[in-house]
PDB file of all heavy atoms in Angstrom:
ATOM      1  N   ILE E   1      -9.046  11.978 -20.628  1.00 97.00           N
ATOM      2  CA  ILE E   1      -8.638  12.540 -19.329  1.00 97.00           C
ATOM      3  C   ILE E   1      -9.286  11.766 -18.187  1.00 97.00           C
ATOM      4  O   ILE E   1      -8.632  11.438 -17.190  1.00 97.00           O
ATOM      5  CB  ILE E   1      -8.980  14.045 -19.254  1.00 97.00           C
ATOM      6  CG1 ILE E   1      -8.086  14.835 -20.208  1.00 97.00           C
ATOM      7  CG2 ILE E   1      -8.840  14.568 -17.833  1.00 97.00           C
ATOM      8  CD1 ILE E   1      -8.454  16.293 -20.342  1.00 97.00           C
ATOM      9  N   ALA E   2     -10.576  11.451 -18.334  1.00 97.00           N
ATOM     10  CA  ALA E   2     -11.270  10.688 -17.293  1.00 97.00           C
ATOM     11  C   ALA E   2     -10.650   9.298 -17.124  1.00 97.00           C
ATOM     12  O   ALA E   2     -10.512   8.804 -16.004  1.00 97.00           O
ATOM     13  CB  ALA E   2     -12.751  10.568 -17.631  1.00 97.00           C
ATOM     14  N   SER E   3     -10.251   8.683 -18.226  1.00 97.00           N
ATOM     15  CA  SER E   3      -9.615   7.360 -18.150  1.00 97.00           C
ATOM     16  C   SER E   3      -8.283   7.438 -17.408  1.00 97.00           C
ATOM     17  O   SER E   3      -7.978   6.581 -16.569  1.00 97.00           O
ATOM     18  CB  SER E   3      -9.392   6.782 -19.546  1.00 97.00           C
ATOM     19  OG  SER E   3     -10.614   6.610 -20.215  1.00 97.00           O
ATOM     20  N   VAL E   4      -7.491   8.462 -17.732  1.00 98.00           N
ATOM     21  CA  VAL E   4      -6.194   8.631 -17.061  1.00 98.00           C
ATOM     22  C   VAL E   4      -6.398   8.870 -15.567  1.00 98.00           C
ATOM     23  O   VAL E   4      -5.698   8.282 -14.729  1.00 98.00           O
ATOM     24  CB  VAL E   4      -5.393   9.782 -17.709  1.00 98.00           C
ATOM     25  CG1 VAL E   4      -4.206  10.174 -16.855  1.00 98.00           C
ATOM     26  CG2 VAL E   4      -4.955   9.398 -19.100  1.00 98.00           C
ATOM     27  N   ILE E   5      -7.366   9.695 -15.221  1.00 98.00           N
ATOM     28  CA  ILE E   5      -7.640   9.974 -13.809  1.00 98.00           C
ATOM     29  C   ILE E   5      -8.112   8.712 -13.098  1.00 98.00           C
ATOM     30  O   ILE E   5      -7.662   8.403 -11.985  1.00 98.00           O
ATOM     31  CB  ILE E   5      -8.669  11.114 -13.669  1.00 98.00           C
ATOM     32  CG1 ILE E   5      -8.035  12.439 -14.099  1.00 98.00           C
ATOM     33  CG2 ILE E   5      -9.209  11.211 -12.251  1.00 98.00           C
ATOM     34  CD1 ILE E   5      -9.002  13.595 -14.190  1.00 98.00           C
ATOM     35  N   LEU E   6      -8.990   7.966 -13.742  1.00 98.00           N
ATOM     36  CA  LEU E   6      -9.491   6.734 -13.135  1.00 98.00           C
ATOM     37  C   LEU E   6      -8.366   5.720 -12.935  1.00 98.00           C
ATOM     38  O   LEU E   6      -8.243   5.117 -11.865  1.00 98.00           O
ATOM     39  CB  LEU E   6     -10.595   6.125 -14.002  1.00 98.00           C
ATOM     40  CG  LEU E   6     -11.212   4.829 -13.495  1.00 98.00           C
ATOM     41  CD1 LEU E   6     -11.941   5.085 -12.186  1.00 98.00           C
ATOM     42  CD2 LEU E   6     -12.154   4.258 -14.529  1.00 98.00           C
ATOM     43  N   LEU E   7      -7.528   5.546 -13.946  1.00 98.00           N
ATOM     44  CA  LEU E   7      -6.411   4.611 -13.820  1.00 98.00           C
ATOM     45  C   LEU E   7      -5.429   5.061 -12.737  1.00 98.00           C
ATOM     46  O   LEU E   7      -4.891   4.238 -11.997  1.00 98.00           O
ATOM     47  CB  LEU E   7      -5.698   4.445 -15.155  1.00 98.00           C
ATOM     48  CG  LEU E   7      -6.470   3.663 -16.220  1.00 98.00           C
ATOM     49  CD1 LEU E   7      -5.716   3.701 -17.549  1.00 98.00           C
ATOM     50  CD2 LEU E   7      -6.707   2.241 -15.781  1.00 98.00           C
ATOM     51  N   SER E   8      -5.202   6.374 -12.659  1.00 98.00           N
ATOM     52  CA  SER E   8      -4.307   6.897 -11.621  1.00 98.00           C
ATOM     53  C   SER E   8      -4.892   6.651 -10.230  1.00 98.00           C
ATOM     54  O   SER E   8      -4.165   6.303  -9.304  1.00 98.00           O
ATOM     55  CB  SER E   8      -4.080   8.396 -11.820  1.00 98.00           C
ATOM     56  OG  SER E   8      -3.437   8.632 -13.041  1.00 98.00           O
ATOM     57  N   ALA E   9      -6.197   6.842 -10.099  1.00 98.00           N
ATOM     58  CA  ALA E   9      -6.845   6.614  -8.804  1.00 98.00           C
ATOM     59  C   ALA E   9      -6.760   5.146  -8.407  1.00 98.00           C
ATOM     60  O   ALA E   9      -6.450   4.825  -7.254  1.00 98.00           O
ATOM     61  CB  ALA E   9      -8.302   7.068  -8.859  1.00 98.00           C
ATOM     62  N   VAL E  10      -7.007   4.254  -9.356  1.00 98.00           N
ATOM     63  CA  VAL E  10      -6.919   2.820  -9.061  1.00 98.00           C
ATOM     64  C   VAL E  10      -5.474   2.449  -8.705  1.00 98.00           C
ATOM     65  O   VAL E  10      -5.222   1.736  -7.732  1.00 98.00           O
ATOM     66  CB  VAL E  10      -7.434   1.978 -10.254  1.00 98.00           C
ATOM     67  CG1 VAL E  10      -7.092   0.515 -10.071  1.00 98.00           C
ATOM     68  CG2 VAL E  10      -8.935   2.158 -10.415  1.00 98.00           C
ATOM     69  N   GLY E  11      -4.519   2.946  -9.481  1.00 98.00           N
ATOM     70  CA  GLY E  11      -3.109   2.680  -9.188  1.00 98.00           C
ATOM     71  C   GLY E  11      -2.705   3.230  -7.836  1.00 98.00           C
ATOM     72  O   GLY E  11      -1.976   2.569  -7.078  1.00 98.00           O
ATOM     73  N   GLY E  12      -3.161   4.432  -7.512  1.00 97.00           N
ATOM     74  CA  GLY E  12      -2.851   5.016  -6.207  1.00 97.00           C
ATOM     75  C   GLY E  12      -3.456   4.219  -5.062  1.00 97.00           C
ATOM     76  O   GLY E  12      -2.824   4.030  -4.028  1.00 97.00           O
ATOM     77  N   ALA E  13      -4.681   3.754  -5.264  1.00 98.00           N
ATOM     78  CA  ALA E  13      -5.330   2.946  -4.227  1.00 98.00           C
ATOM     79  C   ALA E  13      -4.583   1.635  -4.019  1.00 98.00           C
ATOM     80  O   ALA E  13      -4.364   1.209  -2.872  1.00 98.00           O
ATOM     81  CB  ALA E  13      -6.786   2.680  -4.604  1.00 98.00           C
ATOM     82  N   VAL E  14      -4.171   1.004  -5.106  1.00 98.00           N
ATOM     83  CA  VAL E  14      -3.419  -0.253  -5.002  1.00 98.00           C
ATOM     84  C   VAL E  14      -2.098   0.000  -4.286  1.00 98.00           C
ATOM     85  O   VAL E  14      -1.688  -0.768  -3.407  1.00 98.00           O
ATOM     86  CB  VAL E  14      -3.193  -0.875  -6.402  1.00 98.00           C
ATOM     87  CG1 VAL E  14      -2.169  -1.994  -6.345  1.00 98.00           C
ATOM     88  CG2 VAL E  14      -4.497  -1.374  -6.980  1.00 98.00           C
ATOM     89  N   ARG E  15      -1.430   1.080  -4.656  1.00 98.00           N
ATOM     90  CA  ARG E  15      -0.151   1.399  -4.012  1.00 98.00           C
ATOM     91  C   ARG E  15      -0.335   1.675  -2.522  1.00 98.00           C
ATOM     92  O   ARG E  15       0.475   1.256  -1.694  1.00 98.00           O
ATOM     93  CB  ARG E  15       0.475   2.607  -4.702  1.00 98.00           C
ATOM     94  CG  ARG E  15       1.831   2.942  -4.157  1.00 98.00           C
ATOM     95  CD  ARG E  15       2.526   3.988  -4.981  1.00 98.00           C
ATOM     96  NE  ARG E  15       3.869   4.189  -4.466  1.00 98.00           N
ATOM     97  CZ  ARG E  15       4.463   5.346  -4.401  1.00 98.00           C
ATOM     98  NH1 ARG E  15       3.852   6.413  -4.876  1.00 98.00           N
ATOM     99  NH2 ARG E  15       5.671   5.468  -3.925  1.00 98.00           N
ATOM    100  N   LEU E  16      -1.401   2.377  -2.182  1.00 98.00           N
ATOM    101  CA  LEU E  16      -1.682   2.686  -0.784  1.00 98.00           C
ATOM    102  C   LEU E  16      -1.944   1.407   0.013  1.00 98.00           C
ATOM    103  O   LEU E  16      -1.416   1.242   1.114  1.00 98.00           O
ATOM    104  CB  LEU E  16      -2.899   3.616  -0.695  1.00 98.00           C
ATOM    105  CG  LEU E  16      -3.216   4.230   0.650  1.00 98.00           C
ATOM    106  CD1 LEU E  16      -2.094   5.169   1.071  1.00 98.00           C
ATOM    107  CD2 LEU E  16      -4.523   4.982   0.572  1.00 98.00           C
ATOM    108  N   VAL E  17      -2.714   0.497  -0.561  1.00 98.00           N
ATOM    109  CA  VAL E  17      -3.004  -0.767   0.124  1.00 98.00           C
ATOM    110  C   VAL E  17      -1.724  -1.581   0.293  1.00 98.00           C
ATOM    111  O   VAL E  17      -1.466  -2.136   1.375  1.00 98.00           O
ATOM    112  CB  VAL E  17      -4.075  -1.567  -0.647  1.00 98.00           C
ATOM    113  CG1 VAL E  17      -4.173  -2.986  -0.145  1.00 98.00           C
ATOM    114  CG2 VAL E  17      -5.431  -0.875  -0.564  1.00 98.00           C
ATOM    115  N   GLU E  18      -0.909  -1.643  -0.746  1.00 98.00           N
ATOM    116  CA  GLU E  18       0.345  -2.393  -0.656  1.00 98.00           C
ATOM    117  C   GLU E  18       1.287  -1.776   0.365  1.00 98.00           C
ATOM    118  O   GLU E  18       1.956  -2.486   1.122  1.00 98.00           O
ATOM    119  CB  GLU E  18       1.025  -2.472  -2.026  1.00 98.00           C
ATOM    120  CG  GLU E  18       0.327  -3.382  -2.998  1.00 98.00           C
ATOM    121  CD  GLU E  18       0.255  -4.817  -2.526  1.00 98.00           C
ATOM    122  OE1 GLU E  18       1.250  -5.329  -1.962  1.00 98.00           O
ATOM    123  OE2 GLU E  18      -0.811  -5.430  -2.691  1.00 98.00           O
ATOM    124  N   ARG E  19       1.344  -0.449   0.390  1.00 97.00           N
ATOM    125  CA  ARG E  19       2.206   0.235   1.364  1.00 97.00           C
ATOM    126  C   ARG E  19       1.742  -0.069   2.785  1.00 97.00           C
ATOM    127  O   ARG E  19       2.556  -0.310   3.679  1.00 97.00           O
ATOM    128  CB  ARG E  19       2.183   1.735   1.103  1.00 97.00           C
ATOM    129  CG  ARG E  19       3.018   2.526   2.095  1.00 97.00           C
ATOM    130  CD  ARG E  19       2.938   3.982   1.806  1.00 97.00           C
ATOM    131  NE  ARG E  19       4.122   4.337   1.054  1.00 97.00           N
ATOM    132  CZ  ARG E  19       4.385   5.534   0.615  1.00 97.00           C
ATOM    133  NH1 ARG E  19       3.510   6.500   0.786  1.00 97.00           N
ATOM    134  NH2 ARG E  19       5.490   5.785  -0.037  1.00 97.00           N
ATOM    135  N   GLN E  20       0.419  -0.092   2.987  1.00 98.00           N
ATOM    136  CA  GLN E  20      -0.131  -0.398   4.303  1.00 98.00           C
ATOM    137  C   GLN E  20       0.211  -1.836   4.699  1.00 98.00           C
ATOM    138  O   GLN E  20       0.555  -2.100   5.860  1.00 98.00           O
ATOM    139  CB  GLN E  20      -1.653  -0.198   4.293  1.00 98.00           C
ATOM    140  CG  GLN E  20      -2.265  -0.184   5.668  1.00 98.00           C
ATOM    141  CD  GLN E  20      -1.804   0.985   6.506  1.00 98.00           C
ATOM    142  OE1 GLN E  20      -1.448   2.043   6.002  1.00 98.00           O
ATOM    143  NE2 GLN E  20      -1.777   0.798   7.805  1.00 98.00           N
ATOM    144  N   LYS E  21       0.145  -2.757   3.736  1.00 98.00           N
ATOM    145  CA  LYS E  21       0.511  -4.149   4.019  1.00 98.00           C
ATOM    146  C   LYS E  21       1.976  -4.247   4.417  1.00 98.00           C
ATOM    147  O   LYS E  21       2.332  -4.976   5.347  1.00 98.00           O
ATOM    148  CB  LYS E  21       0.262  -5.033   2.792  1.00 98.00           C
ATOM    149  CG  LYS E  21      -1.179  -5.378   2.574  1.00 98.00           C
ATOM    150  CD  LYS E  21      -1.309  -6.287   1.353  1.00 98.00           C
ATOM    151  CE  LYS E  21      -2.733  -6.629   1.039  1.00 98.00           C
ATOM    152  NZ  LYS E  21      -2.836  -7.495  -0.155  1.00 98.00           N
ATOM    153  N   VAL E  22       2.844  -3.523   3.714  1.00 98.00           N
ATOM    154  CA  VAL E  22       4.281  -3.555   4.024  1.00 98.00           C
ATOM    155  C   VAL E  22       4.528  -2.971   5.413  1.00 98.00           C
ATOM    156  O   VAL E  22       5.318  -3.517   6.190  1.00 98.00           O
ATOM    157  CB  VAL E  22       5.084  -2.798   2.946  1.00 98.00           C
ATOM    158  CG1 VAL E  22       6.508  -2.553   3.390  1.00 98.00           C
ATOM    159  CG2 VAL E  22       5.060  -3.563   1.642  1.00 98.00           C
ATOM    160  N   LYS E  23       3.842  -1.879   5.749  1.00 97.00           N
ATOM    161  CA  LYS E  23       4.012  -1.278   7.077  1.00 97.00           C
ATOM    162  C   LYS E  23       3.569  -2.248   8.169  1.00 97.00           C
ATOM    163  O   LYS E  23       4.239  -2.385   9.190  1.00 97.00           O
ATOM    164  CB  LYS E  23       3.203   0.015   7.189  1.00 97.00           C
ATOM    165  CG  LYS E  23       3.849   1.201   6.556  1.00 97.00           C
ATOM    166  CD  LYS E  23       3.020   2.451   6.798  1.00 97.00           C
ATOM    167  CE  LYS E  23       3.650   3.663   6.168  1.00 97.00           C
ATOM    168  NZ  LYS E  23       2.840   4.873   6.405  1.00 97.00           N
ATOM    169  N   THR E  24       2.456  -2.927   7.929  1.00 97.00           N
ATOM    170  CA  THR E  24       1.952  -3.892   8.906  1.00 97.00           C
ATOM    171  C   THR E  24       2.934  -5.038   9.079  1.00 97.00           C
ATOM    172  O   THR E  24       3.233  -5.457  10.211  1.00 97.00           O
ATOM    173  CB  THR E  24       0.580  -4.432   8.458  1.00 97.00           C
ATOM    174  OG1 THR E  24      -0.320  -3.343   8.284  1.00 97.00           O
ATOM    175  CG2 THR E  24       0.011  -5.397   9.476  1.00 97.00           C
ATOM    176  N   ARG E  25       3.463  -5.530   7.970  1.00 97.00           N
ATOM    177  CA  ARG E  25       4.430  -6.635   8.037  1.00 97.00           C
ATOM    178  C   ARG E  25       5.710  -6.196   8.744  1.00 97.00           C
ATOM    179  O   ARG E  25       6.280  -6.934   9.560  1.00 97.00           O
ATOM    180  CB  ARG E  25       4.752  -7.116   6.625  1.00 97.00           C
ATOM    181  CG  ARG E  25       5.627  -8.320   6.611  1.00 97.00           C
ATOM    182  CD  ARG E  25       5.724  -8.921   5.227  1.00 97.00           C
ATOM    183  NE  ARG E  25       6.533 -10.119   5.272  1.00 97.00           N
ATOM    184  CZ  ARG E  25       7.504 -10.384   4.424  1.00 97.00           C
ATOM    185  NH1 ARG E  25       7.763  -9.581   3.432  1.00 97.00           N
ATOM    186  NH2 ARG E  25       8.202 -11.478   4.536  1.00 97.00           N
ATOM    187  N   LEU E  26       6.188  -4.976   8.431  1.00 97.00           N
ATOM    188  CA  LEU E  26       7.389  -4.455   9.072  1.00 97.00           C
ATOM    189  C   LEU E  26       7.179  -4.293  10.576  1.00 97.00           C
ATOM    190  O   LEU E  26       8.064  -4.648  11.370  1.00 97.00           O
ATOM    191  CB  LEU E  26       7.781  -3.118   8.439  1.00 97.00           C
ATOM    192  CG  LEU E  26       9.051  -2.473   8.935  1.00 97.00           C
ATOM    193  CD1 LEU E  26      10.246  -3.369   8.651  1.00 97.00           C
ATOM    194  CD2 LEU E  26       9.242  -1.122   8.274  1.00 97.00           C
ATOM    195  N   LYS E  27       6.012  -3.815  10.957  1.00 97.00           N
ATOM    196  CA  LYS E  27       5.718  -3.656  12.384  1.00 97.00           C
ATOM    197  C   LYS E  27       5.705  -5.009  13.080  1.00 97.00           C
ATOM    198  O   LYS E  27       6.251  -5.157  14.179  1.00 97.00           O
ATOM    199  CB  LYS E  27       4.364  -2.966  12.553  1.00 97.00           C
ATOM    200  CG  LYS E  27       4.037  -2.601  13.958  1.00 97.00           C
ATOM    201  CD  LYS E  27       2.742  -1.818  14.032  1.00 97.00           C
ATOM    202  CE  LYS E  27       2.420  -1.423  15.459  1.00 97.00           C
ATOM    203  NZ  LYS E  27       1.175  -0.675  15.552  1.00 97.00           N
ATOM    204  N   ARG E  28       5.101  -6.015  12.426  1.00 97.00           N
ATOM    205  CA  ARG E  28       5.066  -7.354  13.000  1.00 97.00           C
ATOM    206  C   ARG E  28       6.489  -7.919  13.148  1.00 97.00           C
ATOM    207  O   ARG E  28       6.834  -8.513  14.171  1.00 97.00           O
ATOM    208  CB  ARG E  28       4.215  -8.278  12.132  1.00 97.00           C
ATOM    209  CG  ARG E  28       3.933  -9.616  12.808  1.00 97.00           C
ATOM    210  CD  ARG E  28       3.130 -10.555  11.948  1.00 97.00           C
ATOM    211  NE  ARG E  28       4.014 -11.104  10.922  1.00 97.00           N
ATOM    212  CZ  ARG E  28       3.812 -11.010   9.614  1.00 97.00           C
ATOM    213  NH1 ARG E  28       2.764 -10.380   9.159  1.00 97.00           N
ATOM    214  NH2 ARG E  28       4.653 -11.543   8.748  1.00 97.00           N
ATOM    215  N   LEU E  29       7.328  -7.705  12.125  1.00 97.00           N
ATOM    216  CA  LEU E  29       8.708  -8.186  12.187  1.00 97.00           C
ATOM    217  C   LEU E  29       9.494  -7.489  13.290  1.00 97.00           C
ATOM    218  O   LEU E  29      10.314  -8.110  13.981  1.00 97.00           O
ATOM    219  CB  LEU E  29       9.399  -8.001  10.835  1.00 97.00           C
ATOM    220  CG  LEU E  29       8.932  -8.932   9.720  1.00 97.00           C
ATOM    221  CD1 LEU E  29       9.572  -8.526   8.398  1.00 97.00           C
ATOM    222  CD2 LEU E  29       9.262 -10.372  10.052  1.00 97.00           C
ATOM    223  N   GLU E  30       9.242  -6.187  13.466  1.00 97.00           N
ATOM    224  CA  GLU E  30       9.918  -5.458  14.541  1.00 97.00           C
ATOM    225  C   GLU E  30       9.495  -5.987  15.910  1.00 97.00           C
ATOM    226  O   GLU E  30      10.317  -6.114  16.815  1.00 97.00           O
ATOM    227  CB  GLU E  30       9.625  -3.967  14.440  1.00 97.00           C
ATOM    228  CG  GLU E  30      10.352  -3.283  13.304  1.00 97.00           C
ATOM    229  CD  GLU E  30       9.940  -1.830  13.121  1.00 97.00           C
ATOM    230  OE1 GLU E  30       9.002  -1.369  13.812  1.00 97.00           O
ATOM    231  OE2 GLU E  30      10.555  -1.157  12.283  1.00 97.00           O
ATOM    232  N   GLN E  31       8.208  -6.312  16.056  1.00 97.00           N
ATOM    233  CA  GLN E  31       7.735  -6.874  17.315  1.00 97.00           C
ATOM    234  C   GLN E  31       8.366  -8.239  17.563  1.00 97.00           C
ATOM    235  O   GLN E  31       8.772  -8.550  18.685  1.00 97.00           O
ATOM    236  CB  GLN E  31       6.210  -6.997  17.311  1.00 97.00           C
ATOM    237  CG  GLN E  31       5.498  -5.670  17.410  1.00 97.00           C
ATOM    238  CD  GLN E  31       3.993  -5.801  17.233  1.00 97.00           C
ATOM    239  OE1 GLN E  31       3.498  -6.817  16.772  1.00 97.00           O
ATOM    240  NE2 GLN E  31       3.271  -4.755  17.591  1.00 97.00           N
ATOM    241  N   GLU E  32       8.455  -9.057  16.517  1.00 97.00           N
ATOM    242  CA  GLU E  32       9.087 -10.362  16.652  1.00 97.00           C
ATOM    243  C   GLU E  32      10.560 -10.218  17.023  1.00 97.00           C
ATOM    244  O   GLU E  32      11.082 -10.982  17.837  1.00 97.00           O
ATOM    245  CB  GLU E  32       8.943 -11.159  15.351  1.00 97.00           C
ATOM    246  CG  GLU E  32       7.550 -11.662  15.088  1.00 97.00           C
ATOM    247  CD  GLU E  32       7.408 -12.352  13.747  1.00 97.00           C
ATOM    248  OE1 GLU E  32       8.427 -12.525  13.029  1.00 97.00           O
ATOM    249  OE2 GLU E  32       6.275 -12.718  13.395  1.00 97.00           O
TER     250      GLU E  32
END
């Protein structure tokens, strides 16, 4: 259970960072 939770947390963090990168890129493209 701890392994599943840890992997889910790492996956969620990676997804959150990637989503933030996409939002930043989209905002930059909209400004351009």
Side-chain angles (χ1 to χ4, degrees):
I1 291 173
S3 299
V4 167
I5 290 172
L6 180 65
L7 289 174
S8 297
V10 169
V14 167
R15 184 171 184 218
L16 190 65
V17 167
E18 288 299 319
R19 178 181 261 179
Q20 193 65 28
K21 283 181 182 179
V22 167
K23 280 184 180 180
T24 303
R25 185 170 183 227
L26 183 62
K27 187 175 181 180
R28 190 182 76 237
L29 289 173
E30 287 174 354
Q31 288 173 345
E32 288 175 4

